Amino acid sequence: MKLWKKVLSVATAGVLCLGSVGVTGMQSVLESVGTVLSASAYVPDYYDGTYGDLYYKEYGSSIAIVGCNEDVTSIEIPKEIDGKSVTSITSEVIGDGYGYDYCRGAFEYCTNLMEITIPDSVTSISVRAFYHCTNLTSITIPDSVEYIEEYAFSGCTSLTAITIPDSVTSIGDSAFSGTPWLTEKQEENPLVVVNGILIDGTTCTDNVVIPDSVTSIVAYAFRNCTSLTTITIPDSMTEIGYSAFANCTSLKAITIPDSVTEIGKGAFCDCTNLTEITIPDSVTSIGNSAFQGCTSLTAVIIPDSVTSIESNAFRNCTSLTAITIPDSVTSISCAVFKDCTSLTEITIPNSVTNIDGGNFYSYDSHKYEYGGAFSGCTSLIEITIPDSVTSIENYVFYNCTNLKTITFLNFKTGIEEYAFANCDADIKFTTEDTFDQAKEVASVATNVTQLTVKHKESKIPAGAYKGITCMKEATLEEGITLIEDDAFANCDNLEKIVIPKSVTGIRYTAFTYDTKLTMYGYKGTYAEKYAEMFGFPFVALDDSDTPPVTTTTTTETTTTTTTTTTTAATETTPPDTEPPATETTASTAQTLPAESTTATTNTTAATETTTVTTAATTTTKPTPTLAKGDLDGSDNIDSTDIYYALYYVANIAVGNSGGLTHEQIAAADVDGSGFVDSTDIYYMLYYVALHGAGIHQTWEEVLAK
């Protein structure tokens, strides 16, 4: 096109403004483009040939008219050119190579054109084909035409007579806007219907019933119809078009029939008085921004028939309190519930695999915004992510400032860096499986303070939650049997962990010892034994109680004990000397159990009532003082020390208590690996053998072998 450079900036501005200024604003932009274009005769950027004043493009065996000499006043389009049938009046796409495109109609701004003859070979009249042909007074569309696209005759301010045949089955939005013909039709009936197509309802008021003869509503048909209060759509409708009811600010109720399968983009955008809507089971798609800005909408039921909910669909629905996404949906799109500030309850089905995030250009604010699916949902307190989800993208929960509970059910893959950005509340994090990405969660949600683990494989693997420094509480649910090495190591602020009855083994390095951690568990369980062994404060629970973490508590408890016979199995212990007793213990207010012995006995206690005042005091294990390898503190490393180490490793291997204190375990870890295993025992045997042979090597020399 010869005027490409001349019009590019204006055309680009027109495209960029389309989403924000609407039809009216867009027309003014395009008029400015027309002023530039009409300065000289228009020559298409590409064409294959000319026919009189016409420019055409060949498409196989057919011809499309793409332009004309703008100075002509009358023109007849031939049925054929060079033996090829003329089938369309089309548009030229003008672009800058960066995605900013502008459609220039074949006769656009031919302001001198007064009459035109279209042959019966033409089947379609394309976008803006006769846009702003201000002197065109009448037109007859032949029976061959099936499609009249958007803005085809828009701005033809002298066009009073239009003949539209029954063959036309599709009419684009604003195809006749700004024509006297349309104004006359509106005066006859506010609902302008052509061949069952409702092309305009912008002058309607109050209650409107669309007749049964209507099969489709074109885009923008009722846009800015601010006096419309209710609308009834007939069963003959299958689709609600693009922005069909956008900005109908008085619209309070709408009935959508079961025949509708698609709610188009922006269909009810900014209907600020719409309080409720029932989406029928026939609908399969909810378009982009379909209900955006419906600030009075309090409830929406999305049927199982819906498979696609596009971005921004319910954005800024500030009164919406709860939403259930059906099982038929597999992806939650970008910004779909963005800024739904009253939303407190969201149900995500197990069918969803992806929750979209990222950012997008907002035509409301004219800038790029963070657009995660649930970003800005400031009332959202709790969310459960099903095991079907494979990714949570950037900004999904951006600015969810009150989000407190996140439950992951067997989550398998990654969470992007800013998924939980600006979530200021303390977050309770729940997972139902090995969550190797726990540290990743901590890095993207630095306020994850509570962790609940529902583990499916009966163990917490080594290092699973290591280094989550923001975490204050952890709850392990019933079914977990083993907590492996470093599972909660370096969780510097961990104050409380609840350990279930099912746990029968805890590796000695599972926790960091010099912390303020208090263990909660049940009397007589392995958790109590472990706490006693390593000097952690222990709080006993019953089946209905989970008390809060306290540093010191004083409670009066009345305990009643009756005559009881207790039998305890004999426990295997080293033959010579018992390992030293645990040096630090903690007592709590609790019902005291009957005493048990290491042999089968009958114990009888008189019935009594006792008031017990107890205190739970946080203690810190002192720094170990035993020399390396000297487990019994005899200042000599010998077979007894080796026996204690063997005894410990054997018990730990089967999930039992190792029977050693923290100091003894530290002494047994001769290679400094952080845990006691066969390697340590090997080095101890080697050390004892050398010294027995009179070779007095140091531990450094032994370990260097």
Side-chain angles (χ1 to χ4, degrees):
M1 183 185 72
K2 306 300 183 184
L3 301 178
W4 183 85
K5 290 183 179 180
K6 192 174 183 180
V7 303
L8 175 60
S9 61
V10 183
T12 299
V15 174
L16 289 173
C17 293
L18 179 59
S20 60
V21 302
V23 177
T24 303
M26 184 60 184
Q27 286 178 344
S28 65
V29 173
L30 295 173
E31 287 170 2
S32 66
V33 176
T35 301
V36 176
L37 289 173
S38 59
S40 61
Y42 171 75
V43 180
D45 195 34
Y46 72 97
Y47 60 92
D48 295 327
T50 61
Y51 185 92
D53 290 316
L54 297 172
Y55 299 93
Y56 65 87
K57 180 74 175 177
E58 296 183 19
Y59 294 94
S61 60
S62 63
I63 296 288
I65 304 299
V66 297
C68 75
N69 186 336
E70 291 180 339
D71 296 328
V72 299
T73 59
S74 176
I75 198 164
E76 180 178 353
I77 300 174
K79 193 171 183 176
E80 291 184 351
I81 296 176
D82 295 334
K84 296 182 178 182
S85 180
V86 177
T87 59
S88 64
I89 302 169
T90 190
S91 305
E92 178 189 12
V93 179
I94 303 170
D96 64 352
Y98 295 96
Y100 301 120
D101 297 332
Y102 166 79
C103 286
R104 209 285 185 184
F107 298 94
E108 183 171 338
Y109 283 102
C110 290
T111 55
N112 294 314
L113 183 65
M114 299 177 65
E115 60 181 9
I116 187 168
T117 302
I118 302 173
D120 59 10
S121 59
V122 171
T123 59
S124 65
I125 299 173
S126 190
V127 177
R128 305 169 63 88
F130 296 93
Y131 187 83
H132 269 255
C133 292
T134 54
N135 275 304
L136 186 64
T137 58
S138 66
I139 192 163
T140 298
I141 299 171
D143 290 340
S144 55
V145 172
E146 298 176 4
Y147 308 102
I148 302 173
E149 299 188 20
E150 57 264 31
Y151 299 99
F153 298 94
S154 180
C156 294
T157 54
S158 299
L159 188 58
T160 58
I162 305 173
T163 301
I164 304 174
D166 293 341
S167 59
V168 174
T169 58
S170 175
I171 300 175
D173 66 272
S174 305
F176 304 99
S177 62
T179 65
W181 175 86
L182 180 61
T183 301
E184 183 180 350
K185 291 291 185 182
Q186 290 172 330
E187 292 172 354
E188 294 174 2
N189 190 333
L191 291 175
V192 182
V193 180
V194 176
N195 296 346
I197 306 166
L198 199 159
I199 65 171
D200 189 88
T202 55
T203 60
C204 291
T205 60
D206 302 324
N207 305 321
V208 172
V209 178
I210 299 174
D212 292 338
S213 59
V214 173
T215 57
S216 64
I217 302 175
V218 304
Y220 302 109
F222 292 89
R223 186 176 184 177
N224 297 325
C225 189
T226 56
S227 297
L228 182 66
T229 57
T230 64
I231 187 83
T232 300
I233 299 174
D235 291 338
S236 54
M237 289 280 299
T238 59
E239 180 183 351
I240 300 175
Y242 183 93
S243 296
F245 299 94
N247 205 39
C248 292
T249 54
S250 297
L251 185 63
K252 296 181 180 180
I254 185 165
T255 302
I256 301 175
D258 290 338
S259 56
V260 172
T261 59
E262 181 179 349
I263 300 174
K265 297 179 180 180
F268 301 96
C269 182
D270 293 327
C271 292
T272 53
N273 270 302
L274 188 64
T275 57
E276 62 180 70
I277 189 164
T278 300
I279 300 172
D281 291 338
S282 56
V283 172
T284 60
S285 174
I286 300 175
N288 188 319
S289 300
F291 298 96
Q292 178 179 334
C294 293
T295 54
S296 298
L297 191 63
T298 58
V300 176
I301 298 175
I302 302 174
D304 290 338
S305 57
V306 173
T307 59
S308 173
I309 306 174
E310 297 183 10
S311 59
N312 297 295
F314 296 94
R315 180 186 172 190
N316 201 36
C317 291
T318 54
S319 296
L320 191 63
T321 59
I323 195 78
T324 298
I325 299 169
D327 291 337
S328 48
V329 173
T330 59
S331 180
I332 301 176
S333 301
C334 171
V336 65
F337 298 104
K338 176 177 166 63
D339 295 330
C340 292
T341 54
S342 296
L343 194 62
T344 60
E345 184 179 344
I346 301 169
T347 301
I348 302 174
N350 205 43
S351 56
V352 171
T353 60
N354 184 67
I355 305 176
D356 288 345
N359 56 7
F360 65 97
Y361 186 81
S362 172
Y363 293 106
D364 297 334
S365 62
H366 305 294
K367 64 180 182 181
Y368 279 93
E369 296 182 0
Y370 301 123
F374 304 103
S375 58
C377 293
T378 54
S379 295
L380 186 62
I381 297 173
E382 180 177 356
I383 188 77
T384 297
I385 310 297
D387 59 7
S388 57
V389 173
T390 59
S391 67
I392 299 176
E393 298 181 0
N394 278 328
Y395 305 111
V396 166
F397 295 98
Y398 178 75
N399 273 346
C400 291
T401 52
N402 284 297
L403 185 60
K404 296 182 182 297
T405 302
I406 306 171
T407 301
F408 287 88
L409 303 178
N410 195 21
F411 193 74
K412 296 293 187 183
T413 58
I415 298 174
E416 294 193 6
E417 184 176 1
Y418 300 106
F420 297 93
N422 284 12
C423 293
D424 298 330
D426 290 343
I427 293 178
K428 180 180 179 181
F429 172 77
T430 304
T431 177
E432 199 175 76
D433 205 348
T434 305
F435 194 75
D436 296 332
Q437 297 87 1
K439 286 176 283 188
E440 179 185 0
V441 172
S443 69
V444 299
T446 56
N447 43 355
V448 176
T449 59
Q450 300 178 66
L451 172 70
T452 300
V453 183
K454 305 176 181 179
H455 211 282
K456 293 183 176 181
E457 297 178 1
S458 77
K459 68 178 182 179
I460 306 297
Y465 306 99
K466 183 178 180 180
I468 304 182
T469 57
C470 56
M471 185 166 57
K472 296 179 180 179
E473 293 185 20
T475 300
L476 311 183
E477 297 200 351
E478 195 69 29
I480 296 171
T481 60
L482 176 64
I483 305 173
E484 294 194 341
D485 294 298
D486 294 324
F488 294 91
N490 300 332
C491 296
D492 297 338
N493 290 300
L494 186 60
E495 299 175 353
K496 172 183 177 180
I497 185 164
V498 179
I499 300 175
K501 297 175 182 178
S502 57
V503 170
T504 58
I506 306 175
R507 303 302 190 205
Y508 88 93
T509 62
F511 304 93
T512 300
Y513 297 100
D514 54 347
T515 64
K516 49 188 175 183
L517 177 62
T518 297
M519 291 187 172
Y520 288 71
Y522 300 88
K523 291 292 292 182
T525 64
Y526 188 78
E528 183 182 26
K529 295 179 182 178
Y530 186 89
E532 181 181 353
M533 187 185 308
F534 293 105
F536 288 111
F538 182 79
V539 175
L541 305 173
D542 59 39
D543 291 333
S544 62
D545 185 34
T546 306
V549 176
T550 55
T551 303
T552 303
T553 58
T554 301
T555 310
E556 273 196 359
T557 304
T558 302
T559 303
T560 302
T561 307
T562 57
T563 302
T564 308
T565 301
T566 304
T567 302
T570 303
E571 182 179 357
T572 303
T573 59
D576 297 326
T577 55
E578 290 288 322
T582 303
E583 299 175 25
T584 306
T585 60
S587 59
T588 59
Q590 54 190 290
T591 301
L592 302 178
E595 295 282 333
S596 61
T597 67
T598 58
T600 302
T601 62
N602 290 330
T603 303
T604 303
T607 303
E608 57 181 356
T609 301
T610 307
T611 300
V612 182
T613 303
T614 62
T617 305
T618 302
T619 61
T620 301
K621 187 68 184 178
T623 303
T625 58
L626 293 176
K628 187 175 294 186
D630 185 17
L631 278 68
D632 60 0
S634 65
D635 296 326
N636 185 43
I637 301 171
D638 54 22
S639 60
T640 300
D641 301 300
I642 294 172
Y643 181 86
Y644 285 154
L646 285 167
Y647 173 78
Y648 174 83
V649 171
N651 271 287
I652 293 297
V654 296
N656 295 329
S657 169
L660 301 181
T661 67
H662 176 63
E663 288 183 330
Q664 290 176 305
I665 294 170
D669 182 20
V670 295
D671 63 356
S673 65
F675 51 90
V676 180
D677 57 16
S678 59
T679 302
D680 298 296
I681 294 170
Y682 169 81
Y683 282 124
M684 292 176 69
L685 287 166
Y686 188 50
Y687 183 96
V688 171
L690 287 174
H691 284 253
I695 303 172
H696 297 285
Q697 290 190 351
T698 65
W699 272 115
E700 288 73 18
E701 292 172 325
V702 172
L703 295 172
K705 299 292 186 180

